[in-house]
Amino acid sequence: MRHTISILVENKSGVFTRIGGLFSARGFNLDGISVGPTEDNSVSRLTIVTHGNDKIIEQVNKQLNKLIEVIKVIDLTLEDHVERELALIKVSCNSETRSEIMQIVNIFRANIVDISARTLTIEVTGIVDKVQALINLLRHFGIREVARTGAIALKREYERT
Amino acid sequence: MRHTISILVENKSGVFTRIGGLFSARGFNLDGISVGPTEDNSVSRLTIVTHGNDKIIEQVNKQLNKLIEVIKVIDLTLEDHVERELALIKVSCNSETRSEIMQIVNIFRANIVDISARTLTIEVTGIVDKVQALINLLRHFGIREVARTGAIALKREYERT
């Protein structure tokens, strides 16, 4: 099963190595990793997307909680959450295919962020499946390069009644 | 100086640990890390944002190139490139502040992706400075949670004349 795990850590050198080590020691393939600052400068948030046996992921969660730099581990898979990914896609184009690509870009509410005579670079944000669907659609024009962030996620809020 | 380094690696378990180890052994603080798939399933792209002495970063680049799983290292800082980051920001609101927050969201061309009586969750894409500017503006409403992807980047294309 696919898991999205959000980890708040103290922003110290070496912490990513230790967390990466925890996953690789168990042979986990990380589908995506995102690390960025939070509202507190001393704290970073890691979002890890991985897939595997639920029991083993539960063990990894426990191991993560034992690391001294780890403040909080949330397996968002178990909660209702908002998840988003960002991708930059550089696709080949010419004067004939450009308008067709631009139509696809509009349908996906994506943006063109760089243009040359032979390429378009597209920025798209959405759930992982949407980003993948756009990449699949653009494939036959010739994809030159792709950079994807891996997903980030936050828990949805509910009204307390 | 701030550096944005794009690294193409074979998608094997353990590779992120080794790359993280390279940086942490030199006491580098990684400001952001993004890992995602590329157009080739066996290859992942890491984008690392770091700051530090140019000479030491050059050394890290050389060390990275020696890792067997590393296919290509590009220090995009030295080239004209498109760079983007994605953030999810959960901010406190009430019936009085909601419309003011929505105005700010519109000005930044950001989107509201979750709403409750007391919170709004905002999705924003842009260069790192834009994302930071929005976070700074929203701070006095009360930021509850932030998730940021770290930057991703692709080289700009030029016409060959």
Side-chain angles (χ1 to χ4, degrees):
Chain A
M1 190 182 155
R2 183 177 180 275
H3 281 257
T4 305
I5 301 168
S6 179
I7 310 169
L8 290 171
V9 295
E10 286 177 44
N11 198 358
K12 283 182 181 165
S13 175
V15 57
F16 308 127
T17 319
R18 276 190 285 285
I19 291 174
L22 251 177
F23 279 85
S24 66
R26 279 160 188 78
F28 266 97
N29 255 331
L30 298 177
D31 301 327
I33 309 171
S34 278
V35 183
T38 63
E39 58 282 20
D40 176 348
N41 274 336
S42 66
V43 176
S44 293
R45 185 190 295 270
L46 262 95
T47 312
I48 285 176
V49 179
T50 185
H51 55 271
N53 184 301
D54 283 5
K55 212 165 174 179
I56 300 177
I57 289 183
E58 203 191 309
Q59 281 175 15
V60 170
N61 280 350
K62 279 185 189 164
Q63 296 284 334
L64 283 170
N65 272 308
K66 285 184 190 162
L67 290 179
I68 195 158
E69 301 94 340
V70 168
I71 299 162
K72 201 174 177 184
V73 182
I74 313 156
D75 190 344
L76 286 165
T77 322
L78 313 173
E79 317 219 28
D80 199 6
H81 63 280
V82 184
E83 193 171 318
R84 288 291 185 281
E85 185 184 10
L86 168 69
L88 293 171
I89 308 160
K90 194 185 285 174
V91 62
S92 297
C93 75
N94 55 41
S95 52
E96 283 164 26
T97 58
R98 189 175 296 120
S99 66
E100 195 184 341
I101 294 171
M102 286 175 70
Q103 276 173 17
I104 294 171
V105 166
N106 284 336
I107 291 166
F108 277 80
R109 298 186 192 186
N111 292 306
I112 290 168
V113 292
D114 188 47
I115 181 165
S116 74
R118 291 177 188 172
T119 65
L120 287 171
T121 302
I122 298 158
E123 166 202 286
V124 64
T125 307
I127 58 169
V128 172
D129 287 352
K130 174 185 164 185
V131 171
Q132 191 58 52
L134 177 57
I135 291 171
N136 292 347
L137 259 176
L138 293 172
R139 192 160 282 144
H140 86 271
F141 297 102
I143 290 177
R144 302 234 186 152
E145 284 185 294
V146 174
R148 293 171 74 165
T149 57
I152 52 171
L154 288 181
K155 199 162 106 50
R156 282 189 189 272
E157 291 294 318
Y158 289 106
E159 315 313 331
R160 286 172 195 81
T161 50
Chain B
M1 191 182 158
R2 183 176 178 276
H3 282 256
T4 305
I5 301 169
S6 179
I7 310 169
L8 289 172
V9 296
E10 287 178 41
N11 197 358
K12 283 182 183 166
S13 175
V15 57
F16 308 127
T17 319
R18 277 191 284 284
I19 291 174
L22 251 176
F23 279 86
S24 66
R26 279 159 188 79
F28 267 99
N29 253 332
L30 299 176
D31 301 327
I33 310 171
S34 278
V35 182
T38 63
E39 58 283 21
D40 177 347
N41 274 336
S42 65
V43 176
S44 292
R45 183 189 295 271
L46 261 96
T47 312
I48 284 174
V49 179
T50 185
H51 56 270
N53 185 301
D54 283 4
K55 214 167 176 179
I56 299 178
I57 288 183
E58 203 190 312
Q59 282 175 15
V60 171
N61 280 349
K62 279 186 190 163
Q63 296 283 336
L64 283 171
N65 272 307
K66 285 184 191 163
L67 290 179
I68 194 159
E69 301 94 340
V70 169
I71 298 161
K72 201 174 177 185
V73 182
I74 314 156
D75 190 344
L76 286 165
T77 323
L78 313 171
E79 316 217 31
D80 199 6
H81 64 280
V82 184
E83 193 171 316
R84 288 290 186 282
E85 185 185 10
L86 168 69
L88 292 172
I89 308 160
K90 193 184 287 175
V91 62
S92 296
C93 76
N94 54 42
S95 53
E96 283 164 27
T97 58
R98 190 175 295 120
S99 67
E100 196 184 341
I101 294 171
M102 287 177 70
Q103 275 173 18
I104 295 171
V105 166
N106 284 336
I107 290 165
F108 276 79
R109 297 186 193 186
N111 292 306
I112 291 168
V113 291
D114 188 47
I115 182 165
S116 73
R118 291 179 188 170
T119 65
L120 287 171
T121 302
I122 297 157
E123 166 202 285
V124 63
T125 308
I127 59 168
V128 173
D129 287 352
K130 175 185 163 185
V131 171
Q132 191 59 53
L134 178 57
I135 291 172
N136 293 347
L137 259 176
L138 292 173
R139 191 161 284 145
H140 85 271
F141 298 102
I143 290 177
R144 303 236 186 149
E145 284 185 293
V146 175
R148 294 171 72 165
T149 58
I152 52 169
L154 288 181
K155 200 163 106 48
R156 281 188 190 274
E157 291 294 318
Y158 289 107
E159 315 311 330
R160 286 171 194 83
T161 50

